[in-house]
Amino acid sequence: MEKNIAHLKWRYAVKKFDSKKILPKEKVNGLKHAFNLTATSYGLQPLKMVILHNKEVQKKLVDFSYGQGQVGNASHILIICIENKIDTDFITRYFDLVRKVRGTKDEILKPFQDSLVDSFSKKESEEVGIWATNQAYLALGNLLSYCALEEIDSCPMEGFIPEEYDRLLGLQEKGLTSVLVLPVGYRSKTDPFSKMEKVRKHVDESVIEIIE
């Protein structure tokens, strides 16, 4: 436990990456799998992650990230996106995958599948978008923890202009909308925040235990 907690204490929101240090392929592959293994509501995975490793494009995105330089000097940019269309076909594909992977009988799956199809068909697109975005935050949390354990530096961001990211990266054509950004790489030795103590409440103030 102590080792894992130490890794989480080591993590901070990097303000300046070392632009000359690039994540090796195995680290990037680990991030892919960590994202894919994130828990999501109903297991539907209404998300995709775009991995950007192109300094020229990254520099352009700084302007659409309210000038946050981390986007330009990070090794890679992870862009968590939601699917624009969660419909009957999307849900059916998920249940087809369950049948293929687990061999679950249709009489068990069909009632749940029909229930989800009915539920989502009654939701407004805005409501579905909010639900999917909540799943993106689960993925972000999972990635932050994985980064800490692997000693990959990161900086979670909500401060960007999704429409401009979508335009520059052609995400709408892929049926996606960007919702969160996570630059990753290695902290610069000149980042003053790397030496600062982490500021958190005492654990007894943030956790309530209810014991029999």
Side-chain angles (χ1 to χ4, degrees):
M1 182 194 78
E2 290 181 6
K3 183 179 179 181
N4 289 338
I5 295 300
H7 279 293
L8 293 175
K9 287 181 178 178
W10 170 88
R11 186 211 69 79
Y12 76 105
V14 172
K15 300 300 182 287
K16 184 179 181 182
F17 289 94
D18 186 335
S19 61
K20 295 180 180 178
K21 288 188 177 181
I22 304 300
L23 288 176
K25 186 175 181 180
E26 60 268 22
K27 293 284 190 182
V28 177
N29 283 338
L31 290 166
K32 292 178 185 179
H33 287 285
F35 170 79
N36 196 50
L37 288 168
T38 295
T40 59
S41 181
Y42 310 116
L44 286 177
Q45 291 184 279
L47 311 169
K48 278 194 169 67
M49 181 171 73
V50 175
I51 300 177
L52 176 63
H53 177 56
N54 182 309
K55 291 298 181 184
E56 184 178 342
V57 177
Q58 287 173 231
K59 298 284 186 194
K60 292 179 180 178
L61 288 175
V62 172
D63 288 339
F64 307 131
S65 308
Y66 301 104
Q68 296 180 90
Q70 299 97 311
V71 173
N73 56 44
S75 171
H76 293 67
I77 308 299
L78 310 183
I79 302 148
I80 303 174
C81 306
I82 60 172
E83 299 271 4
N84 291 336
K85 200 177 203 181
I86 310 294
D87 56 8
T88 299
D89 288 342
F90 185 94
I91 295 169
T92 299
R93 286 196 298 273
Y94 166 71
F95 280 93
D96 286 344
L97 182 60
V98 174
R99 293 181 182 92
K100 179 181 177 181
V101 173
R102 294 180 175 171
T104 308
K105 293 182 180 179
D106 206 48
E107 56 261 33
I108 296 173
L109 284 181
K110 196 68 164 63
F112 184 29
Q113 179 178 340
D114 290 344
S115 174
L116 280 186
V117 167
D118 180 63
S119 175
F120 274 83
S121 68
K122 294 175 181 175
K123 297 179 189 295
E124 298 292 336
S125 59
E126 183 179 355
E127 183 181 357
V128 176
I130 292 171
W131 167 81
T133 299
N134 288 340
Q135 313 313 304
Y137 280 92
L138 291 176
L140 177 64
N142 199 40
L143 286 167
L144 288 173
S145 295
Y146 182 82
C147 283
L149 294 174
E150 288 292 315
E151 294 192 347
I152 299 170
D153 284 303
S154 61
C155 182
M157 290 183 178
E158 293 178 300
F160 73 106
I161 305 171
E163 297 82 4
E164 295 296 345
Y165 268 64
D166 297 349
R167 178 188 60 78
L168 189 60
L169 300 174
L171 298 182
Q172 287 296 323
E173 291 83 349
K174 295 178 174 64
L176 303 171
T177 297
S178 57
V179 293
L180 292 167
V181 174
L182 183 65
V184 294
Y186 298 104
R187 65 189 69 177
S188 169
K189 292 180 180 179
T190 61
D191 184 355
F193 285 84
S194 66
K195 305 295 191 297
M196 294 181 182
E197 289 289 327
K198 189 177 288 294
V199 179
R200 291 292 187 276
K201 296 177 182 178
H202 190 278
V203 68
D204 290 340
E205 293 184 73
S206 61
V207 177
I208 298 173
E209 287 189 90
I210 301 175
I211 304 173
E212 291 181 338

